[in-house]
Amino acid sequence: MAKQYETVIGLEVHIELATKTKIFCGCSTEFGSAPNTHTCPVCTGMPGSLPVLNKQVVEYAMALGLATNCRITQVCKFDRKNYFYPDNPQNYQISQLYLPIARDGYVEIDTSAGPKKVRIHEMHMEEDAGKLVHDEWDDTSLVDYNRSGVPLVEIVSEPDMRSADEVIAYLEKLRMIAQYLGVSDCKLQEGSMRADVNLSVREVGAEEFGTRTEMKNLNSFKAIVHAIDGERQRQIELLEEGKEVIQETRRWDDNKEHSYAMRSKEDAQDYRYFPEPDLVPIVISDEWIAKIRAQQPELRTEKLERYKKEFDIPQYDAELITESKRVADLFEKAVELCGKPKKVSNWIMGEMFRLMKDKSMEPEDLVLSPEHLAKLIDMTDAGTISASVARKVFEHIFTDDVDPEKYVEENGLKTVNDEGAIWEAVEKVIADNPQAVADYKGGKEKAFGALMGQSMRALKGKADAGAVREMLMEILKA
Amino acid sequence: MEILELTALELAKKIKAGEVTVRQAVDAALEKAEAAEPVINSYVTLDREDAYAQADEIQKKIDAGELDSPLAGVPVAIKDNMCIKDQLTTCSSKILSNFKPTYTAEAVENLKKAGVVILGKTNMDEFAMGSTTETSYYGPTKNPHNTAHVPGGSSGGSCAAVAAGECFGALGSDTGGSIRQPSSYCGVVGMKPTYGTVSRYGLVAYGSSLDQIGPIAKDVSDCAAFLEAIASHDPKDSTSIAREDYRFTEALVSDVKGLKIGIPKDYMGDGLDPEVKEAVMNAAKVLEEQGAVVEMFDLGLVKYAIPAYYTIADAEASSNLERFDGVKYGYRSSDYEGLHNMYKKTRSEGFGAEVKRRIMLGSFVLSSGYYDAYYLKALRTKALIKQEFDKAFETYDIILGPAAPTTAPELGKSLSDPLKMYLGDIYTISVNLAGLPGMSVPVGKDSKGLPVGMQLIGNAFEEKTLIRAAYTYECATGKQYEKMADLDGAAAQSQAADGKEAR
């Protein structure tokens, strides 16, 4: 019988913090600007420039540490990591090795076998590097230092994950926590969340870990899943052939769905870490920690419980709504405005999620405002528009965040309340459809539906369906 | 010319009174520089046009009553490791030979606010690594007292320029004695303030945890005035300290009665030139006569300062100098294959031998497997040395000793034996390790006519105590720079001077 293997995975996750300015200077952290427009002597490593720590970075890192059950290091320091590369303007990166900001935490993830704790070894603050742009045509390389000095937190997990599913659950959990805290938008495609995967395999039941490799350049959840499957397979094949897994860093090529070795342990760089002499130690008082803890916004689990209790929303709905802070915020604001949690939830769970799925949109891409959603619900309840009109209007709110009141006005979609007009339309439908009328009178209930549909169509959906039904019944009975 | 005989404060007074114009002051200094430079080589950059432009602007402000600083209109020089916007800042290195920063060092900015005229940038040991100003890419600076001798280093250009009258004061930087030792060799007053007193923003770093900018002046009063002008709390430098008191000139009081002065026995023992010893002991006697209590005492760990210093300074330097890679600014090798070869050739060609030696030493002590044995041990030694000073300052107000074991050595005699050269830093280095203020005050000359400096070391933030003692000594003995003047003769004796090397 073939041997059974277990995959052992630990992650190093980089999260870009959403501060307005960089970690050691006053330059903007804005993404997507023209190259080298958010730079200064500090973040381009000019001689004589000195770093000054952005306090917000420490507070965001503390918030992340507290939310993941870490111990905050109350005297923490920065260290220099020395390596030569052109995207690294000083040829050293200011990071933390000896006394990182937070240690010994965990997050809980849901797995098919129930909840599981993934332990966090440590969390440290550091600066991001610039970006190299290779111009193949000109055979030159250019550097953009806009990203140089953007604050990062690196979260190092223990090797507690056993499958790609668990890795994704862990990453989603971290992303949710960071987004709920408002410390990062965690967009993988923009690089504001990055993960390196440390993976080894061992026979099921083995006590010792196998030799691990580190996989870099994983830019999407999909790439992470593929890389994990590929690397697991590669290592198992090596072991099956009686070969050894070499401890090395590998680079994932998502186009080829293949990884290749970057450098082995023997070539590992000596970073010559030492304490950063240009920065003083950060002393974090109990009061400071208490303040950050007190400012901590409600996280997902608490929010979910509250929704069930306060709004009487079912577990499943509450789970979906709180999965993204963006959606939860939308929900809560709309409820606050219209006071109808059930109806808001129905719109979000129904129409909104359907449209998001159709257009494969992420919650971050949503444009509709809670004000307009609340107004739409109010208008429907007041009978100003019919349910079918409301669905149409919602689509426009969803895509362009139109004001429903204005939109209904401009497009003449108000419900027809004129009884005479309804009566006239219904009578005409009855006169035009003698067969259906005969069927109904002959006991075919279904025929009523057809007549009803015809009537609504004639009224262009603007009439209240209840009123139409009543009149139709009245005329047919007569 | 009598203007040159004035101190900075005296000159500023005359300018304020309208007896001398700023232009006249600049004329005097530039004229002197023109005559001295071919031999002395104090300056890397001397910008006449810019100096006159500054002079006119400052004169206007003085005339309009907008500038009321005690240093307004005084021509000064800046060591070439401090950035000045749009001006060449080379650190006397080939690798920065074309570098013009886009910003000005905070200390220089402060000095400009005080209304000085900046004449130019002074020569130094490459990246401040050296004790003779011979490791400069721009050739050595000569000692104005005897041009066959070095001016000391690394702030040799600044000290020589002040001693030769090529400016009325200068800024230097001191990582292990780079202000005090050349001040001693050149017969001028130099002060390294408490770490954190003067902002390091814009100072090209050598050993970040030890570097401190300080003034070099003709006499104690000028030194205090320059320090008062440059010291500030700067939020751009995280190691800058907000001090309660920046009024250093208030300490210009001739009174040391009851002041307790300790002389470490180890500072007066083996390796100290007898003539230097005599001059320093005589100076101590002067202070004693003025009412100070002077005693010999045991200061521990003196011999551990040099290895600890060279480990820490070189480790930091190896990292600080990584940014000079030919990618963004500075020198780049003209002939290379690919990135790594470009790095290698640029740095091989761009750095001099002493800088390379220290980069290699520093990289070694930080290497994995050696870090604990060298760097960490050096950090612990540093902490212990600080404790020894703390203990001494429980008893003494000032620690007194020589600034260097000898007077200025002859040119060309030091670099061949780096270990011996490093040992020459023995009296100054521990002051940097402990972050304390130290000052060199001229106390006479040896039989060869070379100046001797007395070093005064104070507890942290006690610059005023040092200034008071130095001022008392000066009042009792007469101004030393006046006795040491007549440098023209000395400059003339060196006919063999080889002038500046081509850039």
Side-chain angles (χ1 to χ4, degrees), chain B residues 78-230:
Chain B
I78 308 291
K79 188 177 181 180
D80 209 17
N81 59 353
M82 287 170 232
C83 292
I84 300 182
K85 189 172 186 244
D86 300 329
Q87 281 201 16
L88 210 52
T89 298
T90 70
C91 290
S92 288
S93 178
K94 183 180 180 181
I95 212 156
L96 282 181
S97 52
N98 60 2
F99 177 64
K100 287 185 178 175
T102 58
Y103 44 93
T104 299
E106 188 71 4
V108 176
E109 207 71 83
N110 288 342
L111 208 48
K112 284 179 128 177
K113 277 183 207 142
V116 304
V117 174
I118 292 165
L119 298 176
K121 310 292 290 291
T122 56
N123 201 14
M124 53 187 280
D125 280 298
E126 185 181 3
F127 284 107
M129 297 177 185
S131 313
T132 63
T133 314
E134 290 172 296
T135 68
S136 168
Y137 174 58
Y138 299 103
T141 297
K142 314 284 168 57
N143 192 317
H145 293 274
N146 183 336
T147 54
H149 289 253
V150 302
S154 65
S155 308
S158 285
C159 293
V162 174
E166 297 179 81
C167 63
F168 290 82
L171 294 191
S173 69
D174 189 317
T175 307
S178 281
I179 288 175
R180 291 159 289 156
Q181 184 254 33
S183 292
S184 162
Y185 285 2
C186 291
V188 292
V189 178
M191 158 93 87
K192 180 206 98 77
T194 306
Y195 187 76
T197 299
V198 180
S199 168
R200 293 186 297 117
Y201 188 85
L203 169 71
V204 181
Y206 160 25
S208 312
S209 70
L210 308 165
D211 295 341
Q212 193 59 199
I213 293 172
I216 292 154
K218 289 181 166 186
D219 71 356
V220 176
S221 303
D222 281 4
C223 182
F226 279 117
L227 179 61
E228 197 163 293
I230 59 174

Side-chain angles (χ1 to χ4, degrees), chain A residues 41 44-48 50-52 80 82 84-86 89-92 98 145 270 272-275 277-278 280, chain B residues 83 99 103 200-203 208 235-239 319-320 322-323 325 328-329 339 343 363 366-368 371 375:
Chain A
T44 52
M46 289 295 182
L50 293 170
V52 176
R80 283 192 194 171
N82 298 284
F84 276 78
Y85 205 62
Q90 308 159 112
N91 288 318
Y92 58 79
Y98 296 107
Y145 289 119
D270 182 351
R272 305 194 316 278
Y273 277 100
F274 75 106
D278 288 332
V280 290
Chain B
C83 292
F99 177 64
Y103 44 93
R200 293 186 297 117
Y201 188 85
L203 169 71
S208 312
K236 296 191 294 304
D237 173 3
S238 307
T239 61
S319 175
N320 284 331
E322 280 164 354
R323 69 188 68 202
D325 58 3
K328 306 164 290 286
Y329 49 78
L339 179 66
Y343 281 154
S363 301
L366 290 178
S367 303
S368 91
Y371 179 84
Y375 187 75

Side-chain angles (χ1 to χ4, degrees), chain B residues 174-177 180 191-195 209-210 212 267 299 305 309 382 385-386 389 393 399 402-403 425-439 455-460 466:
Chain B
D174 189 317
T175 307
R180 291 159 289 156
M191 158 93 87
K192 180 206 98 77
T194 306
Y195 187 76
S209 70
L210 308 165
Q212 193 59 199
Y267 281 21
L299 178 71
Y309 169 83
K382 182 186 179 206
I385 287 170
K386 173 77 168 70
F389 275 107
F393 285 117
I399 293 172
D425 301 336
I426 182 138
Y427 306 129
T428 47
I429 252 167
S430 47
V431 174
N432 298 79
L433 289 172
L436 304 174
M439 189 172 185
Q455 183 181 205
L456 301 174
I457 302 166
N459 204 350
L466 303 184

Side-chain angles (χ1 to χ4, degrees), chain A residues 324-362:
Chain A
S324 139
K325 180 157 191 293
R326 182 85 177 72
V327 175
D329 286 348
L330 174 73
F331 169 76
E332 254 176 83
K333 186 78 197 168
V335 169
E336 192 192 311
L337 290 167
C338 72
K340 294 156 194 148
K342 273 265 166 57
K343 292 199 167 133
V344 177
S345 159
N346 285 344
W347 277 110
I348 289 175
M349 297 287 297
E351 285 303 288
M352 191 177 94
F353 283 162
R354 183 182 63 76
L355 288 167
M356 281 171 71
K357 205 177 158 199
D358 285 355
K359 298 172 198 259
S360 51
M361 275 165 69
E362 291 293 320

Side-chain angles (χ1 to χ4, degrees), chain A residues 383-395:
Chain A
T384 318
I385 49 172
S386 68
S388 61
V389 168
R391 263 199 301 281
K392 260 184 233 153
V393 176
F394 181 83
E395 277 192 40

Side-chain angles (χ1 to χ4, degrees), chain B residues 344-362:
Chain B
K344 207 167 157 181
K345 290 187 98 169
T346 295
R347 288 168 64 84
S348 297
E349 294 162 15
F351 290 132
E354 183 60 29
V355 172
K356 284 178 196 161
R357 180 179 296 124
R358 295 194 192 191
I359 289 174
M360 283 190 278
L361 269 171

